[in-house]
Amino acid sequence: MKDPVFVIHGVANRDRDEFATAVSALATASGVDMVPVHWGDLGAQDQFIDAALPAYRTGPEILRDSEAPEHVVGAPLSTPVFTEAVDQNQQLSQVEASLRTHLVEWDDGEDDGLRDRSRHRLDPDQILEYVAELWPDTEWLSRTSDAQLLGETGRALAHALLDEADSDSEDSYYGLRGQGADGDSRLRSLVRRRLKDLDRVAGAAVQAVGARLNHAVRSRFGPGTTRFLGDVLVYQRHQAAVHARVREVIDDVHPDLGRSPDRPVRVAAHSLGGVIAVDMATATVPLWTESLVTFGSQAAFFHVCDPRGGQLSPYAGHTPVHLPASLNRWTNLWEPLDVLAFAASKVFRLHDGTAPVDLPVGHQASTGMWTHSVYWDLPYVASVIGDVMRQDQPF
């Protein structure tokens, strides 16, 4: 009878019983005996993460004419709405098209009998000349490439100026229309003020959304992020303690397991657990491993970024890194939407010259967009593990 398969979890597994339940279900689905290796209690601490989160102000912000929207520290937006490099001519052409359209629609509209449209007609060329002159002074609008936002800016500017032209007050634009330089100066002033207003609205809106998003990400996902990234950092600093935990669980089954090629272990590992398994199998004093199945793992990525040492040479980019005989077979599963899953076959070669086997796992729509944890419940993953672990090839 074969020894059991040791299952090593990845990041963010704090509940020992929950992990044991998952391994039991995987053992049943794969048809092989399994032993869970839980090391989550050695991972990152996340109970005090709230102390490091910046406070989010929910009260109304009053922005005066002389103030720009307050920047939200730590929440820069690099989206298609606000970008660093934009084509100003293209921006202005989109504003122009919308502004001209709405001015024409107003001029061509049905006469309501209450106003003389001919005397309120605005000169779009003059307006656009001032827009082009004042556009670089905007903080937010001059950075956007979003066609809808630019179009709405042209529309809002046209309507604001038309409303001003309709005003009968003595200081309105219409009251000064036709009075030469004074009228033109008033139009320029109105364009400047309306552009500034629209720019402030855009800036306040995007920063309000950014602040809420930043707060939500930090407060809702901060502990999870701490566990994920924190566990990687903790493992990098405390490999010996994590490896000792794995060795302890194996020794509980039999102290000879993995000590020599005469009685190698079989391992299935998820995420960072795969990195742990490869590190131990290729260490100077290795955990002799007959069959390894990794799923959603980063062993190749880690080695390319930071050579793991032990018996592994650094990856130079032109030839794969040869694995020692202490890692006999390696099957690596990856799900196409799992951003934390990496291939192994281009980076490594087994001791017999063959590549580790990279197998894609079909994406299921029901799993959603975050797929890093779905492997445990997928029948295909259990089937591959069962097939690999039941092979009776000599070591």
Side-chain angles (χ1 to χ4, degrees):
M1 179 178 179
K2 277 186 169 285
D3 294 311
V5 174
F6 295 92
V7 182
I8 307 175
H9 65 73
V11 298
N13 282 266
R14 297 296 182 268
D15 192 318
R16 183 185 297 269
D17 293 336
E18 182 179 333
F19 175 59
T21 299
V23 172
S24 178
L26 185 62
T28 300
S30 63
V32 295
D33 186 24
M34 293 183 172
V35 172
V37 180
H38 186 266
W39 59 271
D41 56 309
L42 302 176
Q45 299 182 36
D46 69 326
Q47 64 267 40
F48 305 120
I49 183 60
D50 288 344
L53 298 180
Y56 170 58
R57 293 175 297 179
T58 57
E61 295 292 333
I62 300 176
L63 297 176
R64 298 178 177 84
D65 288 342
S66 61
E67 297 173 341
E70 192 172 296
H71 288 287
V72 180
V73 177
L77 297 180
S78 55
T79 70
V81 176
F82 289 96
T83 58
E84 292 299 326
V86 293
D87 185 338
Q88 181 174 308
N89 291 331
Q90 185 176 8
Q91 289 178 313
L92 293 175
S93 68
Q94 291 172 316
V95 173
E96 175 181 356
S98 178
L99 185 141
R100 288 186 183 276
T101 296
H102 287 90
L103 288 180
V104 169
E105 286 178 354
W106 188 92
D107 286 335
D108 294 343
E110 182 178 350
D111 192 347
D112 56 14
L114 299 178
R115 53 189 174 186
D116 182 355
R117 290 183 179 275
S118 63
R119 68 175 186 168
H120 293 180
R121 191 179 301 273
L122 297 173
D123 183 358
D125 291 332
Q126 187 69 66
I127 295 170
L128 291 165
E129 179 182 332
Y130 293 144
V131 170
E133 175 190 346
L134 300 167
W135 189 259
D137 294 334
T138 61
E139 180 180 2
W140 295 91
L141 294 176
S142 60
R143 294 168 50 207
T144 184
S145 58
D146 186 79
Q148 182 175 0
L149 179 56
L150 292 168
E152 288 299 318
T153 298
R155 175 181 181 274
L157 184 59
H159 285 190
L161 295 175
L162 286 168
D163 287 343
E164 186 73 19
D166 264 347
S167 173
D168 291 328
S169 65
E170 60 180 14
D171 63 344
S172 71
Y173 164 68
Y174 170 67
L176 296 176
R177 186 73 177 98
Q179 296 183 21
D182 198 8
D184 291 340
S185 176
R186 176 58 60 84
L187 177 59
R188 182 183 183 279
S189 178
L190 288 172
V191 172
R192 180 187 64 81
R193 282 169 25 204
R194 295 302 168 254
L195 268 183
K196 185 176 181 180
D197 289 343
L198 293 170
D199 189 53
R200 286 161 51 78
V201 169
V206 75
Q207 292 197 76
V209 171
R212 289 184 175 89
L213 177 61
N214 184 46
H215 179 71
V217 169
R218 288 174 181 266
S219 61
R220 293 183 59 189
F221 305 112
T225 302
T226 300
R227 287 178 174 179
F228 185 84
L229 298 178
D231 280 2
V232 173
L233 295 174
V234 167
Y235 174 63
Q236 294 295 91
R237 292 183 58 203
H238 302 291
Q239 280 192 21
V242 176
H243 290 185
R245 173 64 59 80
V246 176
R247 184 69 255 179
E248 177 184 340
V249 175
I250 294 172
D251 286 346
D252 284 344
V253 175
H254 199 286
D256 290 340
L257 271 171
R259 300 284 186 184
S260 72
D262 297 329
R263 196 171 180 182
V265 296
R266 297 177 298 162
V267 177
H270 175 237
S271 187
L272 187 62
V275 179
I276 295 170
V278 173
D279 282 350
M280 294 186 69
T282 60
T284 304
V285 179
L287 176 70
W288 287 81
T289 304
E290 176 183 0
S291 295
L292 171 64
V293 176
T294 55
F295 41 103
S297 192
Q298 309 87 32
F301 171 73
F302 274 36
H303 187 66
V304 167
C305 294
D306 181 21
R308 308 305 292 170
Q311 300 182 62
L312 297 181
S313 60
Y315 179 69
H318 47 83
T319 57
V321 175
H322 280 268
L323 297 165
S326 48
L327 178 51
N328 185 51
R329 289 196 307 272
W330 182 4
T331 301
N332 179 61
L333 300 168
W334 57 276
E335 207 275 353
L337 294 189
D338 180 9
V339 297
L340 300 176
F342 294 86
S345 57
K346 291 183 179 180
V347 177
F348 296 111
R349 285 292 180 271
L350 296 168
H351 68 98
D352 62 2
T354 62
V357 178
D358 285 321
L359 294 178
V361 176
H363 176 72
Q364 298 183 1
S366 59
T367 61
M369 298 299 293
W370 178 255
T371 60
H372 188 57
S373 301
V374 303
Y375 300 91
W376 297 97
D377 300 319
L378 296 179
Y380 177 71
V381 173
S383 175
V384 170
I385 293 175
D387 291 343
V388 169
M389 297 305 176
R390 281 191 292 267
Q391 294 181 37
D392 290 322
Q393 297 177 4
F395 190 74

